[in-house]
Amino acid sequence: MITLTINGLRVEVEQGTTVLEAARFLGFPIPTLCHMEGLSPYGACRLCVVEIGEGPKAKLVSSCTYPAEEGLRVRTASARVLRARKMVLELLLASCPQSKVIQDLASAHQVRQQRFRQEHEDCILCGLCVRMCEEQMMAKAIGFRGRGSTRSLGTPFDIKSEVCRLCGGCIYVCPACQLRCTYTEPDKAICGGCANLSPPCVEKERFDDMMCYMNPCVACEIVKD
Amino acid sequence: MKKEEVLSIIDKHRDQGDGLISVLEEIQTKYSYLPAEALKLVAERTGRSAVDVYSVATFYRSFSLKPRGKHLCLVCQGTACHVRGAPQVEKEFARQLQVQPGETTPDREFTLETVNCLGACALGPVVVMDGHYFSNVRTSRVKSILDKTRAGLDDAELKADLRDFVLTVSCPRCNHSLMDPHHPIDGSPSIKVTVATEGEHGWLRLSALYGSFTVESEFGIRTDAVVDFFCPHCHAVLKGASLCPLPQCRAPMVSMIVRAGGVVQICSRRGCKGHMLDLNGSGV
């Protein structure tokens, strides 16, 4: 067992526990975007930053990937952590302003302005969908492509993958693109665009507007070309 | 693209842990790009998912998924090259070839690409044409570089380089030069050492020309006799630690320090042509 101190409270956790899990066990809220139980930690969104160490040696680390160490002193809500977290949210807002999840988080963290060049990406490259596809769905149909500013997510050659079973898991976990098609049950769907069209989803041009990943559409089986 | 060729490349790297990058590099060398079917084959054969192979292939700038031309022209756009005028050089290449960076000419001769840094910043602006480096490139030189490439770079360099490779060596113990400028062999100063074999003792002169095995000695040495070499200045034995690399010989090697850096070792058996040249080595 490892003993560490989180915000002045001592806690005993098992070897291999991450700082995030230990903090959540004590009930300290740490916001996350790219973390999900059942998927391996990735440390992409940096929202879960915490401060470890003392004095001039104190540093910010992502708690979802940082393993608990004996005698570690963690602060989850120091001024420095909150400042860093607000900056991360502001940057996320700049790239993905339409995401409801990011908007809510920003609002909860008193982010009232966004000072960076506004982009309208539909992906924050958090890799949740990649891990979902690989670790839970055992498919490995999508992955990262390219590098740097041209890094993107998707299937090889942008054609439908042979191993994709259209499970929709990638869309389900995505924090940025939840406005995309969520299947056809109108009461469950956040979008339901294809079902609510009248007449429903017969024109391919309008189907494209739905930002739908399903190909062919599971509802009407129109092949999007 | 032939399926069997790709499969044999993949199988060649089997015992090296299926090195994905090595496999892709070899496929790229063969076809000048990575065909989509080849990537699929690599994924199938090595048990990787297609997206893993694809993400590696798209991550590295040296891999190309589009067919490249016969000649690959890389214009460095690193900071040092940039401030010395690399953008103008790039524009000039683009103008003369009539393609944009990343594109291939319609006749499939040239592919123009930019790189972020080649690590040769002092030589900037640097242009690499099929692995041949051109330094301090100005826009006025672009045309001659293209002409040279069309004429064949390898031929041009071989014809231009007729220099002989002459070694200047010294004793590994006293570091005294072993060169004898008064008795040239093959037109350059010879290497003078003292030798002893079968009760006889005297000087021996070797040609300093690398690849030449001309020898002059004070007395006749029987072929296949193993000879002891000494420094004529400090009389140290010039015996190296290793044995002759030729399996039928295995006589002790004689080592000497190369002035430009490194060690040269020659076989101590008369008539054996076993030798080793290590220009990076320092120890004897």
Side-chain angles (χ1 to χ4, degrees):
Chain A
M1 295 295 266
I2 295 168
T3 314
L4 70 159
T5 320
I6 300 178
N7 294 350
L9 282 179
R10 283 161 59 85
V11 62
E12 271 203 355
V13 292
E14 269 179 45
Q15 179 89 33
T17 315
T18 62
V19 170
L20 178 72
E21 284 161 351
R24 289 213 166 144
F25 174 74
L26 284 181
F28 292 117
I30 296 180
T32 54
L33 270 181
C34 73
H35 177 268
M36 180 170 276
E37 238 174 85
L39 300 179
S40 57
Y42 190 59
C45 71
R46 315 312 283 183
L47 259 185
C48 64
V49 282
V50 294
E51 199 176 5
I52 58 164
E54 294 294 324
K57 279 194 161 177
K59 58 178 181 179
L60 294 176
V61 296
S62 60
S63 60
C64 68
T65 53
Y66 203 89
E69 288 168 1
E70 186 62 44
L72 192 71
R73 301 172 83 85
V74 184
R75 288 175 299 286
T76 65
S78 66
R80 191 178 167 197
V81 168
L82 292 181
R83 209 165 52 234
R85 214 170 267 165
K86 275 177 92 165
M87 176 58 82
V88 170
L89 276 168
E90 213 175 314
L91 287 164
L92 286 170
L93 262 189
S95 62
C96 272
Q98 76 279 20
S99 159
K100 184 82 167 62
V101 178
I102 296 173
Q103 285 171 10
D104 287 351
L105 273 170
S107 167
H109 286 80
Q110 276 82 44
V111 178
R112 296 283 175 260
Q113 55 172 347
Q114 192 279 98
R115 295 162 290 178
F116 304 101
R117 196 186 65 194
Q118 189 67 65
E119 285 167 11
H120 293 276
E121 304 284 336
D122 49 16
C123 182
I124 56 168
L125 298 172
C126 68
L128 262 184
C129 51
V130 177
R131 283 173 283 149
M132 185 71 175
C133 190
E134 179 182 347
E135 294 168 18
Q136 292 295 333
M137 300 306 168
M138 311 296 168
K140 267 200 160 186
I142 53 173
F144 289 104
R145 307 168 304 180
R147 78 195 289 187
S149 58
T150 56
R151 199 161 190 237
S152 66
L153 269 164
T155 55
F157 300 103
D158 267 326
I159 48 172
K160 191 187 166 300
S161 169
E162 287 162 17
V163 284
C164 176
R165 301 189 301 266
L166 295 174
C167 69
C170 46
I171 307 167
Y172 175 76
V173 294
C174 182
C177 64
Q178 285 181 348
L179 277 179
R180 280 191 176 130
C181 184
T182 47
Y183 203 44
T184 47
E185 294 160 52
D187 50 328
K188 284 187 190 165
I190 298 175
C191 160
C194 52
N196 294 329
L197 282 176
S198 65
C201 200
V202 285
E203 295 161 60
K204 280 184 192 175
E205 299 86 60
R206 294 180 70 189
F207 182 78
D208 276 344
D209 295 338
M210 297 302 128
M211 294 168 71
C212 182
Y213 262 163
M214 299 292 183
N215 183 12
C217 172
V218 199
C220 57
E221 286 173 0
I222 285 183
V223 181
K224 188 172 64 163
D225 46 21
Chain B
M1 194 202 91
K2 282 202 189 103
K3 197 176 168 182
E4 299 77 45
E5 286 177 351
V6 176
L7 287 180
S8 77
I9 291 175
I10 300 168
D11 290 340
K12 212 161 77 188
H13 292 271
R14 260 283 128 88
D15 47 343
Q16 294 156 25
D18 282 342
L20 179 57
I21 290 178
S22 323
V23 172
L24 295 182
E25 266 177 346
E26 205 168 327
I27 295 173
Q28 163 122 341
T29 320
K30 187 142 196 152
Y31 302 106
S32 84
Y33 78 111
L34 297 173
E37 309 87 71
L39 290 185
K40 209 184 259 178
L41 273 178
V42 171
E44 272 170 24
R45 193 76 162 191
T46 61
R48 289 181 172 89
S49 68
V51 72
D52 279 352
V53 177
Y54 186 79
S55 60
V56 170
T58 52
F59 185 85
Y60 293 100
R61 281 288 290 275
S62 61
F63 292 133
S64 170
L65 297 176
K66 284 188 294 185
R68 276 174 169 165
K70 211 164 107 193
H71 305 291
L72 177 63
C73 175
L74 297 173
V75 184
C76 183
Q77 293 292 341
T79 313
C81 291
H82 187 94
V83 296
R84 288 171 180 220
Q88 283 87 329
V89 173
E90 182 201 316
K91 270 200 200 105
E92 184 64 18
F93 269 110
R95 192 184 69 80
Q96 297 214 5
L97 295 172
Q98 298 194 321
V99 287
Q100 288 306 304
E103 292 177 0
T104 306
T105 51
D107 58 2
R108 294 239 169 275
E109 280 291 310
F110 287 94
T111 298
L112 180 61
E113 269 178 26
T114 59
V115 283
N116 293 335
C117 187
L118 291 161
C121 303
L123 305 173
V126 178
V127 170
V128 185
M129 189 65 95
D130 292 340
H132 296 262
Y133 283 68
F134 293 89
S135 55
N136 290 310
V137 177
R138 304 273 168 264
T139 47
S140 53
R141 275 184 66 200
V142 168
K143 192 167 185 322
S144 81
I145 291 175
L146 289 176
D147 289 344
K148 246 189 222 171
T149 312
R150 286 200 184 93
L153 277 169
D154 292 315
D155 295 351
E157 292 217 342
L158 272 181
K159 270 179 206 151
D161 193 4
L162 288 171
R163 285 170 304 171
D164 291 324
F165 187 33
V166 178
L167 292 175
T168 307
V169 295
S170 58
C171 166
R173 199 181 100 177
C174 66
N175 207 21
H176 208 293
S177 174
L178 299 175
M179 306 311 291
D180 185 357
H182 304 299
H183 293 90
I185 301 180
D186 291 337
S188 49
S190 59
I191 301 167
K192 188 185 177 190
V193 288
T194 8
V195 288
T197 181
E198 293 165 352
E200 291 203 79
H201 191 268
W203 55 259
L204 178 85
R205 287 201 175 86
L206 307 153
S207 171
L209 195 65
Y210 189 70
S212 164
F213 296 94
T214 317
V215 176
E216 286 174 13
S217 60
E218 197 179 325
F219 57 93
I221 301 171
R222 185 175 57 83
T223 307
D224 284 346
V226 176
V227 184
D228 292 324
F229 283 62
F230 302 94
C231 169
H233 309 285
C234 68
H235 304 292
V237 184
L238 298 175
K239 194 174 278 182
S242 50
L243 296 178
C244 181
L246 299 181
Q248 71 275 20
C249 177
R250 308 303 288 172
M253 296 292 271
V254 174
S255 65
M256 290 172 279
I257 289 181
V258 181
R259 268 290 154 88
V263 178
V264 65
Q265 299 193 62
I266 57 168
C267 181
S268 60
R269 192 187 294 278
R270 175 82 177 100
C272 175
K273 290 187 174 178
H275 63 281
M276 289 187 269
L277 179 65
D278 182 7
L279 291 178
N280 299 312
S282 55
V284 177

